Amino acid sequence: MLVVLFHSGVQALSGGYVGVDVFFVISGFLITTHLLETLERDGRISFASFYAKRARRILPAALLVAVLTLVAAWIWMSPLLMRSVVDGAIATALYVPNYFFALQDTDYLAETTPSVFQHFWSLGIEEQFYLFWPALLAVGFWLRRRRERRVMVLIAVVTASSFLACVLLMDISQPWAFFSLPTRAWELGAGGLVAFLLRSGARWLRAPLTGLLAWAGLAGLAAVALTFDGNTVFPGWSAALPVLAAAALIIGGAAPGPLNATRLLAVAPLQFLGAISYSLYLVHWPLQVIPQAATFSDAPLPLEQSLALGAVAVPLAWLLYRCVERPVIGWRMLRQRRQGLTGLVAAGASLVVVLASGGVAAVSAQQPLSSDRTAAPATATPDPAGTSFVPANIAPSLDAVAEDNAAVYDTGCHNSTHDADPAGCRVGDDPEAPLVFLVGDSHAASWFPALEELAEEGRIRLDSNSKSSCLPLETDQQYLAKEYTSCEQWRDGVLERIDEEQPDLVLLAMYDSPGRLQDEPGTSTPAQWREGLAATLAQIDGPRVAVMKDVPTQHLNPDECLSTHLEEAQACAVPREEAFEEDLVEAEDQAIEEAGDEVERVDLTRFFCNAQTCPIVIGNTVVFRDTHHLTTTFSRQMAEPMWEEIEPLTV
């Protein structure tokens, strides 16, 4: 319930992702209980039987959903995304999706366009855990002379070591701490320790008051689900809270008497969800991700749509449970034959997924990424009509649009969110050319190619100063909902350099996005924006200053949308009236007007938009590499219009 509602956009359950941690504890508890009972009864573990049962339990539903997800993604998603979809499908078929996402440095809680197979990471953890856990228990049971309490000590040491590894790795690589088995095994191990505890016969476990632990566990899970969010440092120490809550819930639920939570958890609707929970987990994620990806936007689906998709997942999960999950577990042909047959069938099913992935990859590679018509080379002209199709000579090609980024990123001249070095980078060696300081966030970096052209031609000397998500505004800002202190340090350093070097022109550029500012009680965002810009302008004493009007913001990712609208490129363009944050534009205009004659506005909107739309393709050039950054190709073409605007300001 927590995971499905969280992925369905219920913001109140901002920590609903901890449902996976609860699953780990339950899984570790159940499998350890089963293995300990087997060891007590038989004195040994039949590994062939164990793995055959696990395969029949887990793989049929998982691999079927993987194939259906692959096909659905091929039908509805952009062909540009299919390479990552296919890679995810193959990693899933090979039971290593968690390491696939770790290698990609995936941020599970921050991904705007997550993989349709991303939810399989937890199954990868579980499957890999099953490889070593039975052997560990069997060896421990033998070494400790069949004494469970001694084996429990061994399991506690392994679990504690895994938890320590998780905490330590968080400071090195959060994705690896999140996705790798060694740093997540402790959560399943915690469930295993609960199994040992409940089998220990401790007197306090049979006390009626112990049932209160179940309610404490439920309260703890509710508190975590309501207070954790995407900014919580996770897993690490934070993951201990849902794990301990789940453990308390299991221990308290096993206690006798009326104080435990059995009556609540035994109600029919919860029992139904419990029965279909595995199938529900499998189907709910692609139902959310594929429709969102089909919109070609990073914006989440409207809440009502996400909730509807979450609701649709329930009957689909029931069908999967009744028609696949349960029947295969009891399939006589597999249960009564040698266990190796189950392994062969499982390997064959995985091979089917791999082959299907290869087929989808081959078909996707043949899909065209342009029409068969060409367009005249782009030139910067006012009121561009836009090209109504994707030209065969389009620049950059659609599969290269997202990477057509300013050179400052590769050369290290653009500061990351962690870097506060205000040194800047110089381009142009004509000592007689006017010195222009470019200052701002990634939108300023988008203008670097245009200004670089002017610098290389000797018309200016460029000093480029840009930092990701850092507005050139003297006001408190945030990044990922946290105070953005490195932004303030960097901005102050750049302003000091401007004061020392006294350039001929300071060019400010920024992304007009209201979510970048920290809230100031009693002050509206436009007012805070105006005051922040006014404060920055007041600090620049001597040089002329120009403030760029922001480029239009598109609603759709250009490459993804164009790849499915080869003959109707205008369908991907944003209407002009929706392309700008007008209240922030007006706030900037007010600050510029109040600053006096030394500050000018540079507005190049006429080269991006006509009266109706702001096209994505102009001539044979793609304008944007994403929803709000210019491609390097188009930025270079704007060098001459830029010069026409700033030349009078440098005299």
Side-chain angles (χ1 to χ4, degrees):
M1 289 175 62
L2 289 177
V3 172
V4 172
L5 291 174
F6 169 67
H7 287 152
S8 297
V10 179
Q11 294 184 355
L13 295 175
S14 56
Y17 54 85
V18 301
V20 176
D21 303 85
V22 177
F23 156 70
F24 283 155
V25 176
I26 295 172
S27 181
F29 166 71
L30 292 175
I31 207 64
T32 304
T33 299
H34 166 71
L35 291 170
L36 290 177
E37 289 173 349
T38 300
L39 286 167
E40 181 183 46
R41 182 183 65 248
D42 304 331
R44 58 184 290 274
I45 294 174
S46 173
F47 290 95
S49 176
F50 173 80
Y51 290 122
K53 289 178 180 178
R54 300 285 75 72
R56 291 196 296 269
R57 172 70 180 88
I58 295 174
L59 298 185
L63 295 179
L64 176 61
V65 170
V67 170
L68 294 177
T69 298
L70 185 67
V71 174
W74 174 58
I75 294 173
W76 283 295
M77 291 174 62
S78 164
L80 294 174
L81 298 175
M82 291 312 298
R83 181 68 263 173
S84 62
V85 169
V86 166
D87 290 344
I90 293 174
T92 297
L94 298 178
Y95 314 119
V96 290
N98 51 321
Y99 291 110
F100 171 73
F101 295 119
L103 286 169
Q104 290 188 320
D105 285 334
T106 300
D107 188 339
Y108 179 85
L109 301 179
E111 292 295 297
T112 54
T113 53
S115 166
V116 293
F117 291 101
Q118 190 163 288
H119 64 314
F120 278 95
W121 76 270
S122 60
L123 298 186
I125 293 283
E126 184 183 24
E127 291 157 353
Q128 294 151 24
F129 179 80
Y130 289 162
L131 290 178
F132 84 90
W133 195 249
L136 181 63
L137 289 177
V139 171
F141 207 73
W142 175 67
L143 291 176
R144 296 299 180 178
R145 299 180 181 179
R146 300 172 65 94
R147 296 183 180 180
E148 284 192 15
R149 291 188 178 182
R150 293 182 177 181
V151 181
M152 184 178 179
V153 173
L154 172 64
I155 297 303
V157 170
V158 172
T159 300
S161 299
S162 172
F163 178 67
L164 180 62
C166 179
V167 171
L168 294 177
L169 193 58
M170 283 293 292
D171 292 330
I172 301 172
S173 174
Q174 188 272 345
W176 280 93
F178 193 100
F179 289 112
S180 70
L181 174 65
T183 54
R184 284 302 193 118
W186 68 272
E187 300 188 24
L188 293 108
L193 290 174
V194 173
F196 276 99
L197 181 63
L198 292 183
R199 288 173 55 84
S200 69
R203 183 176 299 178
W204 66 271
L205 293 171
R206 299 191 298 273
L209 286 176
T210 302
L212 294 175
L213 283 176
W215 294 106
L218 281 175
L221 288 177
V224 167
L226 293 170
T227 58
F228 280 22
D229 56 26
N231 297 312
T232 301
V233 179
F234 199 88
W237 291 100
S238 301
L241 296 177
V243 168
L244 291 174
L249 180 53
I250 296 172
I251 295 169
L259 296 179
N260 67 29
T262 302
R263 291 184 180 179
L264 172 62
L265 299 179
V267 297
L270 294 184
Q271 289 291 295
F272 170 74
L273 287 175
I276 68 168
S277 59
Y278 176 56
S279 291
L280 182 58
Y281 180 78
L282 291 175
V283 303
H284 88 282
W285 180 252
L287 280 177
Q288 295 288 347
V289 175
I290 293 176
Q292 193 277 330
T295 66
F296 313 117
S297 171
D298 291 335
L301 293 173
L303 179 60
E304 60 273 14
Q305 294 182 21
S306 294
L307 289 174
L309 291 169
V312 168
V314 175
L316 290 179
W318 178 80
L319 286 173
L320 185 64
Y321 170 76
R322 289 296 301 271
C323 300
V324 178
E325 186 181 340
R326 297 312 301 174
V328 175
I329 290 177
W331 201 1
R332 289 186 179 181
M333 185 183 75
L334 293 180
R335 289 171 63 92
Q336 296 177 357
R337 301 287 183 88
R338 286 182 175 273
Q339 305 298 345
L341 179 60
T342 297
L344 289 175
V345 173
S350 297
L351 181 60
V352 168
V353 177
V354 173
L355 293 176
S357 301
V360 169
V363 172
S364 298
Q366 299 302 314
Q367 290 183 259
L369 293 179
S370 71
S371 68
D372 56 4
R373 294 180 284 169
T374 60
T379 56
T381 56
D383 301 318
T387 304
S388 61
F389 55 92
V390 178
N393 59 334
I394 194 166
S397 60
L398 293 190
D399 56 359
V401 165
E403 304 302 323
D404 194 33
N405 209 350
V408 287
Y409 289 86
D410 293 331
T411 60
C413 290
H414 176 76
N415 286 16
S416 69
T417 54
H418 304 292
D419 190 4
D421 182 9
C425 295
R426 286 284 176 95
V427 183
D429 51 14
D430 183 354
E432 302 300 321
L435 177 60
V436 176
F437 264 57
L438 173 66
V439 181
D441 56 11
S442 58
H443 280 213
S446 284
W447 284 113
F448 175 84
L451 294 164
E452 182 185 35
E453 289 272 314
L454 299 178
E456 290 175 347
E457 293 171 1
R459 292 196 260 186
I460 64 171
R461 285 176 295 143
L462 174 63
D463 194 300
S464 180
N465 305 268
S466 59
K467 177 175 170 63
S468 291
S469 301
C470 182
L471 300 164
L473 307 179
E474 279 288 327
T475 188
D476 292 334
Q477 298 177 39
Q478 60 183 3
Y479 179 71
L480 297 179
K482 295 183 179 179
E483 185 179 3
Y484 197 4
T485 54
S486 68
C487 175
E488 180 180 358
Q489 296 168 2
W490 172 82
R491 187 179 62 241
D492 290 346
V494 172
L495 290 175
E496 288 180 9
R497 288 186 57 237
I498 290 173
D499 187 55
E500 293 171 359
E501 302 204 26
Q502 288 293 302
D504 298 279
L505 177 66
V506 176
L507 190 61
L508 304 180
M510 70 200 86
Y511 178 28
D512 289 353
S513 176
R516 312 276 285 280
L517 305 184
Q518 284 191 328
D519 291 336
E520 289 186 0
T523 304
S524 67
T525 296
Q528 188 180 353
W529 198 277
R530 177 183 58 78
E531 293 168 3
L533 178 57
T536 298
L537 297 176
Q539 287 196 56
I540 301 176
D541 186 16
R544 296 286 298 274
V545 182
V547 181
M548 298 285 302
K549 181 177 179 180
D550 195 18
V551 299
T553 296
Q554 300 288 332
H555 292 169
L556 309 176
N557 286 314
D559 51 353
E560 296 174 18
C561 183
L562 291 173
S563 69
T564 59
H565 293 83
L566 301 181
E567 297 293 343
E568 47 183 10
Q570 295 288 35
C572 302
V574 66
R576 178 167 180 155
E577 64 270 15
E578 300 176 14
F580 301 95
E581 291 282 349
E582 293 295 347
D583 54 347
L584 299 186
V585 173
E586 183 178 347
E588 291 173 4
D589 289 339
Q590 291 174 355
I592 293 168
E593 183 178 355
E594 294 168 0
D597 295 339
E598 290 302 309
V599 181
E600 300 289 340
R601 171 67 105 177
V602 172
D603 185 357
L604 296 174
T605 302
R606 63 190 182 279
F607 294 98
F608 291 94
C609 306
N610 53 51
Q612 288 77 38
T613 66
C614 301
I616 288 182
V617 180
I618 298 177
N620 69 328
T621 302
V622 183
V623 179
F624 300 94
R625 64 177 172 87
D626 56 21
T627 56
H628 55 91
H629 290 98
L630 301 180
T631 62
T632 293
T633 305
F634 188 80
S635 180
R636 287 194 182 115
Q637 294 171 0
M638 292 294 293
E640 202 59 39
M642 175 72 79
W643 178 242
E644 292 176 3
E645 291 285 330
I646 68 174
E647 181 186 19
L649 306 179
T650 60
V651 176

